Amino acid sequence: MDIVEEVGQTLAANLRAARGLRGWRLDDLAAASGVSRGMIHQIETARTHPSVATLARLCHALKIPISELVETPTQLGSLARRADALVSLHGRSTTALLVGDGRHELWEHTLAPGDAIHDTGHPAGTKELIHVTEGVLQVDIGGATFVVPALDALSLRGDRPHTYRAAEDRTTRYTVVVIYIGAHDGRYPRTAQ
């Protein structure tokens, strides 16, 4: 597929989606934008390439920027496969960096009973959001101890040394989102942009 065809297909799909999110019919968008129903249909089926003025009218009616209509699927998101994750072992426990863009990281942790995962802390200002999906997690940071049961979450200062432990004699599973406010932690690679 050449670039013009790719942009046309992308524009068609994104315009249909934007209209659909509002529950609008073709006639509704035509009335709101001043663009004919037939022209909108031609754009949504990738049979014509609209002018910038036509795009501007449609976007004004939909209250979205033009860039939203021409964003390709790779600009909207990228799939990270668990099989490609950076996995580290901690005794019988594992941590897996699923995706990281230098400002945010998503980690999957499996913590065996009796194991502990120690972190020396990330750069200043870093936050961690932790969601426990199975078992009970204990997090020690400074003089504080947090006990987080399954389905609950914890917001944590990630820039301090902290330790994760299973609080019960069973496997604990949880996810961690690391949010870097300042510098990225050089210990971990960027996996996506």
Side-chain angles (χ1 to χ4, degrees), residues 144-155:
T145 296
F146 298 94
V147 178
V148 189
L151 305 181
D152 286 352
L154 173 66
S155 176

Side-chain angles (χ1 to χ4, degrees), residues 3-188:
I3 187 67
V4 173
E5 186 179 347
E6 182 180 357
V7 170
Q9 293 290 334
T10 297
L11 174 62
N14 290 345
L15 181 58
R16 279 191 311 273
R19 182 173 59 80
L21 281 174
R22 288 155 183 78
W24 287 4
R25 296 170 297 129
L26 287 170
D27 292 330
D28 298 326
L29 181 54
S33 67
V35 175
S36 74
R37 180 187 191 284
M39 174 60 81
I40 296 169
H41 177 70
Q42 291 289 316
I43 297 167
E44 286 190 359
T45 55
R47 292 186 185 144
T48 191
H49 304 293
S51 68
V52 173
T54 298
L55 283 179
R57 284 194 211 62
L58 293 169
C59 289
H60 180 75
L62 293 166
K63 297 185 179 9
I64 60 173
I66 289 176
S67 62
E68 191 170 312
L69 288 184
V70 294
E71 288 175 321
T72 63
T74 57
Q75 292 171 309
L76 296 173
S78 61
L79 179 63
R81 302 243 179 238
R82 174 60 171 84
D84 297 331
L86 174 67
V87 178
S88 300
L89 298 176
H90 305 269
R92 296 169 296 146
S93 302
T94 61
T95 60
L97 175 56
L98 302 173
V99 64
D101 63 5
R103 294 184 53 217
H104 312 90
E105 294 169 351
L106 177 61
W107 290 83
E108 170 193 83
H109 290 222
T110 302
L111 191 55
D115 281 355
I117 298 174
H118 305 284
D119 192 312
T120 57
H122 301 287
T126 301
K127 303 281 186 200
E128 289 190 13
L129 304 176
I130 302 166
H131 179 243
V132 179
T133 55
E134 182 182 328
V136 179
L137 177 67
Q138 176 181 321
V139 180
D140 299 314
I141 180 170
T145 296
F146 298 94
V147 178
V148 189
L151 305 181
D152 286 352
L154 173 66
S155 176
L156 178 74
R157 291 278 306 258
D159 59 358
R160 302 288 189 272
H162 50 282
T163 302
Y164 306 106
R165 300 177 198 284
E168 296 180 342
D169 192 26
R170 63 183 173 133
T171 299
T172 300
R173 297 182 200 289
Y174 56 103
T175 56
V176 179
V177 174
V178 179
I179 304 166
Y180 295 106
I181 304 302
H184 173 254
D185 193 331
R187 294 178 292 176
Y188 309 111

